[in-house]
Amino acid sequence: LMTDTILEIKNLKKSYGKNEVLKDISLSVKKGEVISIIGSSGSGKSTFLRSINLLESPSGGEILYHGDNVLEKGYDLTTYRERLGMVFQSFNLFENLNVLENAIVAQTTVLKRDRKEAESIAKANLEKVGMGEQYWKAKPKQLSGGQKQRVAIASAIASERPVILFDEPTSGLDPVSRDELLQILSEYIEDGEHSVLFSTHITGDLERAADYITYISYGELFFTGSKDEFVDMFRIVKGGMDELSADLQAKAVGVRTFPTGFEALVKTEDIGSFTALDIEPATIDEIVVFTSKKGEDYE
């Protein structure tokens, strides 16, 4: 195991009764990486993050933190949980505490910082996410969804945990706020000591922030690796309906037809037979749409 690997997930499974939500998902997290978990709605992204953080009990597999399996009997889970921050879609702020107090809690309880130091760090991080002094005394119920999201993020970053898990961190934010948040995540890993895992359905976020992608489709691991490698795996082939051969249909991952013609997602390694057709690079969006829909979903 390489020393810069913080977290290694091996063959993680999660079932609710007979319903298998996650099937053998594996992922390695090294220091200084931003990894995005992608997949269509209901693919298992949130369950995967919650299982890593042990808010859900995995049904099988291993979670290794610095080489130690945290699922083994006798492992001190308190320490593990203290090392992982998580920002939920529901924000999980303390309703009885104001904004500043919410951003201090993890520092004083987890990191045992004294109040004065914690307050100074919290203020700096709140300023960074656009929640300046005028908001510090507000309670969560006085804030919009986007503002709550910013407070939760400021709190997580202020606690300086080695790994932070974000469940859809940019949902509910306008484009400018999204861009600012992704910049903050990039800065968080700059020292090479911290890592970020975030789930998203907004592929623009990946282009902006993620180095690596883990793509979960129907609870199964479709791909994990570098973003560039993922995009290089596929091409889009376009042509008229008379050019949609049986061979192309057989090799295509997915095909969409229109009155004017078709477009198909084809693995780059299979593209050789179709060089007479119009071939274009595939976007992350296109790969996800084609691979997360079954053939019968296409009209």
Side-chain angles (χ1 to χ4, degrees), residues 9-21:
I9 317 298
K10 290 184 174 178
N11 306 112
L12 196 74
K13 299 177 179 70
K14 178 63 187 172
S15 300
Y16 298 104
K18 289 184 178 173
N19 182 19
E20 247 188 320
V21 183

Side-chain angles (χ1 to χ4, degrees), residues 96-134:
N96 58 325
L97 300 181
N98 66 31
V99 164
L100 184 57
E101 289 162 344
N102 263 291
I104 287 169
V105 156
Q107 297 185 66
T108 54
T109 55
V110 177
L111 298 175
K112 308 290 187 273
R113 283 183 178 143
D114 69 67
R115 171 84 190 197
K116 195 175 175 188
E117 184 191 8
E119 197 167 293
S120 164
I121 291 166
K123 285 175 177 176
N125 280 286
L126 285 166
E127 292 275 7
K128 202 185 273 188
V129 298
M131 294 299 287
E133 192 172 353
Q134 69 270 35

Side-chain angles (χ1 to χ4, degrees), residues 54 73 103 109 143 179 181 183 218 242 249 277 284 296:
L54 302 183
K73 276 185 180 162
T109 55
L143 304 177
D179 195 61
L181 165 59
Q183 180 60 37
Y218 297 99
D242 56 325
Q249 284 179 311
L277 298 173
I284 293 171
E296 65 269 17

Side-chain angles (χ1 to χ4, degrees), residues 41-211:
S41 188
S43 60
K45 301 189 298 287
S46 294
T47 305
F48 181 53
L49 288 178
R50 291 174 65 85
S51 297
I52 294 174
N53 206 35
L54 302 183
L55 292 161
E56 302 275 358
S57 301
S59 308
E62 297 177 290
I63 298 176
L64 305 175
Y65 182 72
H66 288 298
D68 296 323
N69 185 3
V70 306
L71 300 177
E72 279 179 354
K73 276 185 180 162
Y75 186 89
D76 178 12
L77 284 179
T78 312
T79 307
Y80 172 67
R81 284 196 171 112
E82 284 175 353
R83 299 291 181 271
L84 264 69
M86 182 149 182
V87 179
F88 300 86
Q89 273 182 288
S90 54
F91 321 125
N92 278 41
L93 299 176
F94 296 98
E95 292 296 329
N96 58 325
L97 300 181
N98 66 31
V99 164
L100 184 57
E101 289 162 344
N102 263 291
I104 287 169
V105 156
Q107 297 185 66
T108 54
T109 55
V110 177
L111 298 175
K112 308 290 187 273
R113 283 183 178 143
D114 69 67
R115 171 84 190 197
K116 195 175 175 188
E117 184 191 8
E119 197 167 293
S120 164
I121 291 166
K123 285 175 177 176
N125 280 286
L126 285 166
E127 292 275 7
K128 202 185 273 188
V129 298
M131 294 299 287
E133 192 172 353
Q134 69 270 35
Y135 296 106
W136 294 347
K137 291 197 167 121
K139 293 280 177 70
K141 65 173 182 290
Q142 298 169 275
L143 304 177
S144 69
Q147 289 169 331
K148 287 180 187 175
Q149 182 75 302
R150 290 160 182 251
V151 176
I153 288 159
S155 173
I157 289 171
S159 68
E160 289 180 2
R161 289 158 174 178
V163 182
I164 302 183
L165 313 175
F166 291 95
D167 193 8
E168 300 274 359
T170 61
S171 64
L173 297 181
D174 61 81
V176 174
S177 303
R178 277 213 335 257
D179 195 61
E180 288 168 356
L181 165 59
L182 294 169
Q183 180 60 37
I184 289 163
L185 297 191
S186 300
E187 287 169 6
Y188 189 68
I189 62 147
E190 269 174 8
D191 63 358
E193 292 298 315
H194 299 92
S195 304
V196 167
L197 261 79
F198 73 96
S199 69
T200 186
H201 62 277
I202 303 168
T203 49
D205 293 353
L206 311 182
E207 308 288 356
R208 178 84 172 75
D211 312 301

Side-chain angles (χ1 to χ4, degrees), residues 261-274:
F262 75 91
E263 56 183 33
L265 185 74
V266 178
K267 284 193 168 173
T268 306
E269 63 202 43
D270 293 332
I271 217 78
S273 339
F274 313 116

